[in-house]
Amino acid sequence: MFVFFYLLLAYLKFVLSEFNATARPRKPIVLERSGGFQIGGKIIQSPFNPNFTLSCDHGYMEYFVPWRPRKTSLVMWHSSSTQVWQNRWDSGPGYKDLFLRRNYPIYLWDGPRVGRANWPCQPTSYTPSYQDQANFAAWNFGPRYPLWWPDVQFPVADAAAWQHATSARYIEYDTTANVELQASAAAIAADSGKVGKEIVYLTNSAGGLRAMLTTAKANNTNIKGIVTYESIGYVFPDNVNVTAGTGGFGPVVVPVKQFKKLAQLKAVQFVWGDHRAANYSYVAESRRVAELINSYGGNARVLMLGEEGLKGSTHIPFADLDNEKVAGLLDGFLEDAGLDGYVDEDAEDWSDEDR
């Protein structure tokens, strides 16, 4: 009888352990604090009564700080909405949760006049542009709607996933003035220290241009790195015969002294998916900017995901079905740049498993 109960107990223990492993396969996210704040912007007076004012053109930062944080803050700068950082295309865990589990403080940034910071100092207007089908090709799901790339990292059989992807956007104002406005607000946030003393911008699409310009504008040295996923638009120094663009996708030309701030970062990485041709204009621009940064002693590199064995990447690879593999490459970037350390490396109760 004793043997029977011993075997039964062992069996139940095995079943429960298997159940727990299946039900909770991931490390829990434990936060020390979370919240949000407005930053930047200005106060304007009513033209009819100076006693009435409006606080406007500020940015909004939502933050999540792990219980045992690393030193480096990851500021996730969206091209369309913060949703792209929060979930994978199939609603699985996005970069926010993937890197919270790696104990990085996470900051989700809404620049002035978009998302949760859409309180502008100037009149704006909205006209429906009927661009769902245009989004399909712009986000590199395939060459044209509705022809998917055969190996695309998107749940193509899930119509709800496509509807969710194309509807999870903010209204954007892609103008030169908006690029300057958002970069200026982000520079104030970086210089304030409220985002930490070691900042790495993770950006997508037109957010890459804004993060580069933010670095050029910032007065402090809190910005340590930039990783741009399929950056649309680049910053150039004023000594290379590049004409500044007149729209919201650059090029933006800055004085050489400001451009050199990009060379002072620990590392810069321009990431492209495998369905981008080598002669694609923005890929070519990323290579040229990387060369310019390196010519001033910087550490910039163009990373082609196809060359790393990742196939079918979309314009937003950190939301793709293989985003864990994309995240693994970011792990290597942060480690190589010395940006993976903990706030308290010597804490006795921090085991290797916690890290």
Side-chain angles (χ1 to χ4, degrees):
M1 182 67 69
F2 176 81
V3 174
F4 170 78
F5 280 112
Y6 178 83
L7 292 175
L8 178 62
L9 182 63
Y11 174 76
L12 290 174
K13 184 176 181 180
F14 170 77
V15 170
L16 288 173
S17 67
E18 288 297 300
F19 173 79
N20 288 335
T22 303
R24 302 189 65 178
R26 301 186 183 96
K27 172 185 174 182
I29 295 172
V30 182
L31 299 180
E32 189 272 328
R33 65 185 187 278
S34 66
F37 57 88
Q38 296 80 22
I39 196 160
K42 58 185 177 181
I43 301 174
I44 60 175
Q45 294 178 315
S46 166
F48 308 106
N49 185 337
N51 293 320
F52 290 92
T53 61
L54 176 67
S55 301
C56 49
D57 278 354
H58 53 265
Y60 179 81
M61 193 77 79
E62 183 179 16
Y63 61 86
F64 306 84
V65 180
W67 180 252
R68 293 170 172 171
R70 297 183 191 258
K71 297 176 182 177
T72 297
S73 302
L74 301 182
V75 177
M76 299 183 177
W77 196 326
H78 57 88
S79 64
S80 59
S81 83
T82 54
Q83 181 63 48
V84 296
W85 300 105
Q86 292 172 305
N87 290 104
R88 209 166 52 197
W89 296 126
D90 63 349
S91 298
Y95 254 36
K96 177 177 76 72
D97 284 2
L98 292 182
F99 282 90
L100 278 176
R101 286 195 170 93
R102 290 161 162 84
N103 294 319
Y104 286 95
I106 301 299
Y107 292 78
L108 301 179
W109 170 246
D110 283 333
R113 302 186 185 180
V114 299
R116 292 166 291 182
N118 67 345
W119 201 249
C121 293
Q122 296 180 355
T124 61
S125 62
Y126 168 72
T127 303
S129 59
Y130 307 99
Q131 65 185 67
D132 284 356
Q133 288 69 35
N135 288 341
F136 185 92
W139 295 345
N140 214 11
F141 293 160
R144 62 185 182 277
Y145 181 85
L147 183 61
W148 301 89
W149 296 120
D151 56 1
V152 69
Q153 293 291 329
F154 189 95
V156 297
D158 187 350
W162 158 243
Q163 181 59 39
H164 176 76
T166 194
S167 62
R169 322 178 36 106
Y170 301 154
I171 298 172
E172 296 179 71
Y173 301 99
D174 287 315
T175 63
T176 301
N178 178 268
V179 172
E180 293 282 348
L181 177 67
Q182 292 195 350
S184 294
I188 291 171
D191 288 341
S192 72
K194 294 183 70 173
V195 190
K197 300 297 185 181
E198 292 188 2
I199 298 169
V200 170
Y201 288 116
L202 304 183
T203 72
N204 176 232
S205 197
L209 171 62
R210 288 159 170 79
M212 285 181 268
L213 186 57
T214 296
T215 304
K217 286 176 173 284
N219 295 318
N220 213 320
T221 59
N222 293 333
I223 303 171
K224 302 299 183 183
I226 302 175
V227 176
T228 72
Y229 292 98
E230 300 227 335
S231 182
I232 306 300
Y234 293 85
V235 170
F236 287 87
D238 61 3
N239 63 345
V240 293
N241 197 29
V242 169
T243 301
T246 58
F249 303 108
V252 172
V253 178
V254 300
V256 174
K257 182 178 179 180
Q258 291 186 2
F259 183 84
K260 286 182 177 179
K261 293 180 182 179
L262 291 165
Q264 295 169 3
L265 303 182
K266 289 190 174 182
V268 178
Q269 190 176 77
F270 303 108
V271 183
W272 292 99
D274 58 312
H275 287 295
R276 295 296 189 188
N279 62 352
Y280 179 55
S281 60
Y282 290 115
V283 173
E285 281 192 47
S286 70
R287 294 192 186 281
R288 187 177 182 191
V289 171
E291 290 174 357
L292 288 169
I293 292 172
N294 293 339
S295 72
Y296 291 111
N299 178 21
R301 177 192 175 197
V302 176
L303 177 69
M304 306 302 291
L305 294 177
E307 296 175 1
E308 300 295 327
L310 276 64
K311 302 298 183 181
S313 297
T314 72
H315 179 55
I316 309 175
F318 49 86
D320 284 350
L321 296 178
D322 64 348
N323 69 347
E324 281 274 13
K325 295 179 180 178
V326 183
L329 295 175
L330 179 55
D331 278 331
F333 169 88
L334 294 168
E335 182 179 355
D336 291 344
L339 292 167
D340 62 336
Y342 279 78
V343 170
D344 188 351
E345 295 283 5
D346 300 322
E348 293 182 359
D349 60 337
W350 290 22
S351 68
D352 290 338
E353 184 177 347
D354 291 327
R355 303 184 185 195

